[in-house]
Amino acid sequence: MAKALTKQRGSGAGGSLAPWLGVALIVILADQLTKIAVARVFSYGQVREITSFFNLVLVYNRGAAFSFLAAAGGWQRWAFTVLGVVAALVICYLLKRHSAQRLFCTALALILGGALGNVIDRLVYGHVIDFLDFHVGGWHWPAFNVADSAITIGAVLLVFDELRRVRGSR
């Protein structure tokens, strides 16, 4: 009975990390391959218009989201690298502990892959490579990459999963 209740709640304590690490690895590979392709084809700052609302552009981000702390003295590279590694370790713990919660773990795996994709950039290049540039009229979103997209989708899925869980407990 207790085993069935645990499975029903989806805690899956001690479950397998393999499928979730596989999702994260796919995100890392897609992120790194797209960054390598753009870095080889584009020169820094070069823009290629794809549609009326989307460009490809090669830019570097030494900071965090929206270039937060990009102009700091260089310490941010290491601070954001450490933060990414710590986040990855916490996420691995959560994935192991809750491996049966599919939506929760999918969200975490996307965030893990995205975080590690950007950590790789910081370690290898000293900055994150961004290249996706969406705009409406004269207003541009900050350029981003596949890793950032995975982190954002993962965060949205986490919110959705929590809302679903809370509604289900009523």
Side-chain angles (χ1 to χ4, degrees):
M1 175 73 173
K3 186 176 183 180
L5 187 57
T6 299
K7 188 170 186 171
Q8 184 180 21
R9 286 184 189 156
S11 70
S16 176
L17 275 174
W20 310 119
L21 294 180
V23 170
L25 182 61
I26 290 168
V27 169
I28 293 167
L29 289 173
D31 177 62
Q32 291 299 304
L33 290 174
T34 55
K35 288 173 180 174
I36 289 167
V38 169
R40 286 190 178 180
V41 173
F42 287 75
S43 57
Y44 181 80
Q46 181 183 353
V47 178
R48 182 166 298 151
E49 186 176 323
I50 305 299
T51 70
S52 62
F53 61 89
F54 173 64
N55 300 327
L56 291 176
V57 59
L58 177 60
V59 294
Y60 305 142
N61 183 356
R62 297 187 189 288
F66 307 109
S67 296
F68 176 68
L69 293 176
W75 60 267
Q76 73 277 21
R77 172 186 182 188
W78 304 110
F80 292 135
T81 299
V82 168
L83 182 62
V85 170
V86 169
L89 293 171
V90 170
I91 289 170
C92 286
Y93 169 78
L94 291 171
L95 288 171
K96 181 79 170 155
R97 182 152 169 81
H98 302 282
S99 64
Q101 295 179 19
R102 288 181 172 230
L103 186 57
F104 179 71
C105 288
T106 300
L108 289 179
L110 290 170
I111 294 169
L112 175 63
L116 291 177
N118 284 338
V119 163
I120 290 168
D121 280 16
R122 290 183 196 290
L123 290 173
V124 173
Y125 309 113
H127 55 259
V128 174
I129 296 172
D130 289 329
F131 58 91
L132 301 170
D133 176 34
F134 285 88
H135 54 91
V136 175
W139 192 80
H140 283 248
W141 279 266
F144 58 98
N145 56 46
V146 172
D148 299 332
S149 300
I151 292 168
T152 301
I153 292 167
V156 169
L157 289 176
L158 278 179
V159 169
F160 177 74
D161 182 56
E162 184 63 17
L163 291 173
R164 190 179 66 148
R165 190 185 62 76
V166 168
R167 281 190 181 155
S169 68
R170 287 184 188 174

